[in-house]
Amino acid sequence: MKKIVLLLSLSLIAITLMSQTLKSPSGNLSMNFAITGKGEPTYDLSYKEKVIVKPSKLGLESFGDKPSFHDNFRVTDVKNSTFDQTWQPVWGETKNIRNHYNEMAVTLTQKETERIMVLKFRLFDDGLGFRYEFPQQNKLTYFAIKEELTQFAMTGDHTAYWIPGDYDTQEYDYNVSKLSEIRGINQQGRSSNLSQTGFSDTGVQTSLQLKTSDGIYINLHEAALINYACMHLDLDDKNFIFQSWLTPDANGTKGHLQAPCNTPWRTIIVSDDARDILASNITLNLNDPNKIEDTSWIKPMKYVGVWWEMITGKSDWSYTNDLPSVQIGVTDYTKVQPHGRHGATTANVKKYIDFAALHGFDGVLVEGWNIGWEDWFGHSKDFVFDFQTPYPDFDIDEIHNYAKSKGVKMIMHHETSASIRNYERFMDDAYKLMNKYDYPAVKSGYVGDIIPRGENHYSQWINNHYQYAIEKAAEYKIMVNAHEAVRPTGICRTWPNLIGNESARGTEYQAFGGSKPNHVCMLPFTRLIGGPMDYTPGIFEMDIEKINPNNKSHVNSTLVNQLALYVTMSSPLQMAADFPENYNRFLDAFQFIKDVALDWDESKYLEAEPGEYITVARKAKGSDKWFVGNTAGTTAFTSKISFDFLDNSKQYIATIYADAKDADYKTNPQAYTIRKVVVTNKSKLNQISVAGGGYAISIVPVTDKSQTKGLKAL
């Protein structure tokens, strides 16, 4: 009998070692870790006792003949801990962010090889983060990855909000389909791009938003993408299992690691309320704290610029048509004939500086100021720009002095044409030039196929370049807004000089044939999970043919929808992207763009459904002013909100910018109404937003009773 009891006790110990449970602080989320009979690590995740992720395998496959990290493991240690801290971002959607989680670190030792791998799980009240860690050890130093084998096993044929997997671009419109339908429409969703590389008919990109049939929202992404390849997801559409799919390097490997090291975090945000997905701070919390000691130079910026002219085809980046090719340092631009369509002229830029100064904008962006644009794209050209030399008709000294006299900062533009080596060749000198002329921020671009040839935009090597550019810019106290770079993963917490990215289909596509009207109701659930986007909103003239008769594109949005984007798609870097003359036609509506804040103390997500509608209220940093934005998707939406987020001891004046009754994003997009009302925290609003429309509200405290004279109470 004693022998049976002893065997039973040993069996229970073995089961305990093979299965571990972790609960979130509230208890709503529960994760189980286990080892299979083959020594394979697995996990599953439940929310309010509903299974969200079925048992899913974990591991990495090594490149070459070395044993992989996916089986033959035994558990040699388990450590549990709790963390609860509140921190303050340099800028962001809230003044304070709580970082509260329960952690489990499982140490695995591989039989025979004795190599050690740690699986670290952090369970928050709104989701799970986990990663692979490889501590310093004698049995493991350098190794290459063939593939990461992380699985996310779904419980059914969920609705997915997705774009096709691609190693080189994220600039796609979003699809809404069942998981089982992805294969059939994946190729249709791959609109043409200047650089694109698909890998599978069931491959999709993160951040991936999902919704179950019983109303559970699931978001799959990654955090802290450092020294690693960007993760896509490939779907087994028979069993509804996603597996991680890393972007390869030119030699076919998917990463080279050196212990001690770790992978990025894999994230699963879960809620039965879509608003919680938008409010989640998991991505930021899984990144390291700020590494920049003095952040006084990092300041949100609202800007205008010479950009939409080139995007619509009104102007050109280039200077002349006389040169079939350009050689930097050899070509003499003073001896060629200008074609007369160059946008970045001294005279034209001064007009934008004047407009910025008149309306209180912080900066002016100028694209096409530097030599080399005549043959910048499509030639696999290494030495394409020097980021130093202006065209003859752009007087950089005069522009600097003129902007300074007007109290306006200039924003630098560095298009690299995806030539990584060339940018790094000139980076220090380019940043020094910015310091000399007092440019606080740079918009960098990586259009086209990557050089070195064979590399992809999101491979480990290229991701390390993007990070190098951010850290190098910090040395020169420069803020970075990178376009065509890897999608953000919360690194802006660690390096808050990363004040923006494009990394998705931005407003420019409205002049390239148009985007779906619900696109801006998708992005907050997908692309914005990792960080703010330089979406470049604020277009007031929707008919591009009026700007360029050869461009038949239409901006699929109402004018008020464009106003709402400054709130629903929060960013510390916001452009008023249209021409000054178009704003002058609608100065009453333009007032909202002038008034809206860039940095926030609080954010309240009032209404949300992926692709259909989003309503957000935000309180300006260090102020009692609030701003509300609503965007509607492909169908009209009646918003019903309460103003209970306001101080209960104050009255406010709300200026409501709304779609007119006859507004239509296709035929009557500039129809809007503006009304002022008195509101308190007891007020309620029912407001109709047309398809592709929305509304925007600025809310200011009443400081004198006379301000409310003649205004109705809401």
Side-chain angles (χ1 to χ4, degrees):
M1 183 68 180
K2 289 182 179 179
K3 185 176 181 180
I4 293 173
V5 171
L6 178 61
L7 289 172
L8 180 60
S9 298
L10 290 172
S11 297
L12 288 172
I13 291 171
I15 291 171
T16 301
L17 288 174
M18 291 171 63
S19 179
Q20 298 287 330
T21 298
L22 181 68
K23 290 187 177 293
S24 65
S26 69
N28 283 341
L29 280 163
S30 177
M31 189 216 76
N32 294 306
F33 172 82
I35 292 283
T36 70
K38 295 181 180 180
E40 300 165 310
T42 69
Y43 77 100
D44 62 68
L45 182 66
S46 296
Y47 173 71
K48 295 182 179 179
E49 300 184 351
K50 290 183 179 180
V51 176
I52 300 301
V53 179
K54 297 189 297 184
S56 302
K57 294 181 180 179
L58 299 168
L60 297 164
E61 183 178 0
S62 298
F63 195 87
D65 58 358
K66 293 184 178 180
S68 294
F69 301 90
H70 58 73
D71 61 4
N72 210 25
F73 282 108
R74 68 181 188 277
V75 176
T76 51
D77 190 29
V78 178
K79 287 187 171 65
N80 289 80
S81 60
T82 296
F83 187 84
D84 191 359
Q85 183 188 68
T86 297
W87 59 280
Q88 293 188 333
V90 175
W91 48 260
E93 296 186 9
T94 58
K95 181 180 180 180
N96 299 299
I97 294 177
R98 188 182 186 189
N99 189 9
H100 188 200
Y101 58 82
N102 291 331
E103 179 178 285
M104 179 168 65
V106 181
T107 300
L108 302 174
T109 302
Q110 197 170 45
K111 301 172 186 177
E112 298 179 3
T113 70
E114 291 301 310
R115 297 181 306 178
I116 298 170
M117 179 174 75
V118 177
L119 286 170
K120 185 166 287 183
F121 301 91
R122 290 181 179 173
L123 198 54
F124 303 78
D125 282 337
D126 51 349
L128 172 68
F130 62 90
R131 72 180 182 187
Y132 304 88
E133 298 182 353
F134 298 91
Q136 185 87 49
Q137 53 192 292
N138 293 328
K139 300 291 185 178
L140 180 67
T141 51
Y142 298 94
F143 60 103
I145 298 171
K146 184 176 182 180
E147 191 56 80
E148 183 182 317
L149 304 177
T150 303
Q151 291 184 344
F152 305 86
M154 299 293 100
T155 59
D157 193 9
H158 303 333
T159 299
Y161 307 81
W162 61 277
I163 55 176
D166 199 294
Y167 298 151
D168 284 298
T169 186
Q170 297 123 172
E171 297 178 356
Y172 293 127
D173 251 326
Y174 280 85
N175 303 291
V176 182
S177 75
K178 294 293 186 181
L179 294 178
S180 58
E181 297 170 331
I182 289 177
R183 180 185 298 272
I185 59 180
N186 196 298
Q187 290 299 324
Q188 300 171 28
R190 293 180 53 78
S191 55
S192 61
N193 192 277
L194 297 178
S195 181
Q196 56 190 150
T197 309
F199 60 86
S200 167
D201 284 343
T202 54
V204 299
Q205 301 196 42
T206 68
S207 170
L208 174 68
Q209 182 62 48
L210 302 165
K211 184 180 181 181
T212 69
S213 58
D214 54 353
I216 304 296
Y217 300 88
I218 306 167
N219 188 281
L220 306 180
H221 194 32
E222 61 181 328
L225 175 53
I226 299 287
N227 192 28
Y228 205 77
C230 176
M231 180 183 73
H232 298 72
L233 299 172
D234 198 27
L235 176 66
D236 170 356
D237 51 359
K238 302 297 182 185
N239 298 298
F240 306 127
I241 298 174
F242 286 107
Q243 181 172 299
S244 58
W245 187 281
L246 303 182
T247 305
D249 289 319
N251 65 356
T253 61
K254 295 197 171 184
H256 290 256
L257 301 180
Q258 176 187 354
C261 60
N262 53 259
T263 70
W265 296 91
R266 280 59 189 101
T267 61
I268 309 170
I269 306 173
V270 184
S271 181
D272 52 13
D273 189 333
R275 297 175 298 176
D276 294 338
I277 304 296
L278 301 178
S280 174
N281 285 307
I282 283 179
T283 313
L284 290 173
N285 279 329
L286 288 171
N287 277 267
D288 289 341
N290 174 28
K291 291 188 177 182
I292 302 175
E293 290 186 14
D294 174 20
T295 60
S296 60
W297 51 274
I298 301 174
K299 298 177 180 178
M301 295 185 73
K302 196 181 298 181
Y303 71 104
V304 297
V306 185
W307 172 76
W308 194 236
E309 290 187 27
M310 285 80 85
I311 295 299
T312 57
K314 177 185 177 182
S315 301
D316 289 346
W317 287 274
S318 66
Y319 175 76
T320 182
N321 292 330
D322 288 357
L323 301 172
S325 68
V326 172
Q327 291 183 319
I328 302 296
V330 176
T331 301
D332 186 351
Y333 279 92
T334 65
K335 295 181 180 179
V336 299
Q337 181 69 32
H339 54 44
R341 289 177 47 83
H342 188 217
T345 68
T346 301
N348 193 34
V349 172
K350 283 185 174 180
K351 293 178 183 177
Y352 283 87
I353 293 172
D354 288 342
F355 185 80
L358 177 64
H359 294 287
F361 282 72
D362 304 294
V364 174
L365 168 74
V366 181
E367 296 199 11
W369 67 276
N370 56 316
I371 62 171
W373 287 90
E374 284 71 23
D375 65 346
W376 72 284
F377 173 76
H379 305 293
S380 193
K381 186 178 180 180
D382 182 20
F383 191 2
V384 60
F385 294 113
D386 69 359
F387 313 99
Q388 300 284 305
T389 310
Y391 278 120
D393 60 353
F394 182 83
D395 189 326
I396 192 169
D397 289 291
E398 185 175 344
I399 288 296
H400 165 66
N401 292 329
Y402 191 77
K404 186 176 181 180
S405 73
K406 296 281 186 173
V408 173
K409 298 284 189 179
M410 299 302 297
I411 297 175
M412 180 56 72
H413 181 238
H414 290 164
E415 175 54 61
T416 69
S417 192
S419 181
I420 302 303
R421 181 177 69 165
N422 189 56
Y423 193 31
E424 293 188 359
R425 176 191 290 142
F426 287 105
M427 191 174 286
D428 279 287
D429 287 340
Y431 288 162
K432 288 176 183 177
L433 185 78
M434 289 180 61
N435 284 168
K436 176 182 177 181
Y437 289 106
D438 197 23
Y439 284 67
V442 61
K443 172 185 175 181
S444 57
Y446 296 89
V447 174
D449 293 335
I450 292 287
I451 302 173
R453 300 170 187 91
E455 288 289 347
N456 300 113
H457 277 75
Y458 315 136
S459 66
Q460 179 190 33
W461 196 86
I462 304 302
N463 289 340
N464 287 347
H465 161 78
Y466 302 138
Q467 188 62 32
Y468 174 77
I470 295 166
E471 296 184 26
K472 177 65 69 171
E475 294 178 17
Y476 291 92
K477 296 187 176 181
I478 288 171
M479 299 180 287
V480 175
N481 165 29
H483 283 227
E484 295 88 31
V486 71
R487 53 186 169 270
T489 57
I491 291 170
C492 57
R493 176 189 180 184
T494 312
W495 297 96
N497 65 317
L498 179 62
I499 58 167
N501 285 97
E502 183 190 38
S503 306
R505 186 182 179 100
T507 297
E508 62 186 356
Y509 278 84
Q510 297 282 25
F512 300 161
S515 295
K516 296 176 183 176
N518 67 345
H519 186 59
V520 294
C521 295
M522 294 284 197
L523 289 171
F525 285 97
T526 51
R527 160 62 184 78
L528 270 63
I529 294 296
M533 180 178 178
D534 182 32
Y535 185 71
T536 61
I539 304 302
F540 280 13
E541 178 51 69
M542 313 305 172
D543 188 354
I544 306 302
E545 191 173 10
K546 291 180 180 178
I547 301 167
N548 175 9
N550 297 318
N551 189 337
K552 310 299 181 184
S553 299
H554 183 82
V555 179
N556 294 320
S557 160
T558 68
L559 187 149
V560 177
N561 176 281
Q562 293 289 309
L563 301 183
L565 297 177
Y566 291 90
V567 183
T568 62
M569 294 178 60
S570 172
S571 174
L573 182 74
Q574 292 279 26
M575 185 180 196
D578 211 336
F579 305 150
E581 53 265 37
N582 288 332
Y583 292 133
N584 287 334
R585 294 162 55 198
F586 305 100
L587 285 175
D588 55 352
F590 184 61
Q591 187 64 43
F592 182 83
I593 299 178
K594 293 171 60 175
D595 292 340
V596 68
L598 299 171
D599 200 10
W600 312 99
D601 274 342
E602 295 180 59
S603 291
K604 305 287 187 182
Y605 288 91
L606 308 179
E607 300 168 311
E609 183 64 24
E612 295 186 21
Y613 54 85
I614 295 172
T615 312
V616 191
R618 303 190 196 273
K619 185 181 182 184
K621 180 71 69 69
S623 168
D624 287 330
K625 296 179 181 178
W626 284 80
F627 296 88
V628 179
N630 165 270
T631 55
T634 53
T635 58
F637 172 68
T638 301
S639 175
K640 300 178 181 179
I641 65 170
S642 168
F643 289 81
D644 56 4
F645 50 84
L646 297 176
D647 190 319
N648 61 11
S649 65
K650 295 181 180 180
Q651 273 191 321
Y652 298 80
I653 295 175
T655 305
I656 303 173
Y657 304 77
D659 292 321
K661 291 182 179 179
D662 59 345
D664 186 290
Y665 78 86
K666 289 182 179 179
T667 62
N668 197 20
Q670 295 164 330
Y672 61 89
T673 63
I674 302 175
R675 69 186 192 275
K676 289 190 176 185
V677 293
V678 177
V679 296
T680 68
N681 77 325
K682 301 248 187 316
S683 299
K684 297 183 185 301
L685 173 70
N686 284 12
Q687 182 64 54
I688 297 176
S689 296
V690 302
Y695 65 84
I697 310 175
S698 63
I699 306 171
V700 180
V702 172
T703 56
D704 188 318
K705 286 294 184 182
S706 64
Q707 294 173 318
T708 64
K709 187 176 180 180
L711 299 181
K712 293 183 178 180
L714 186 66

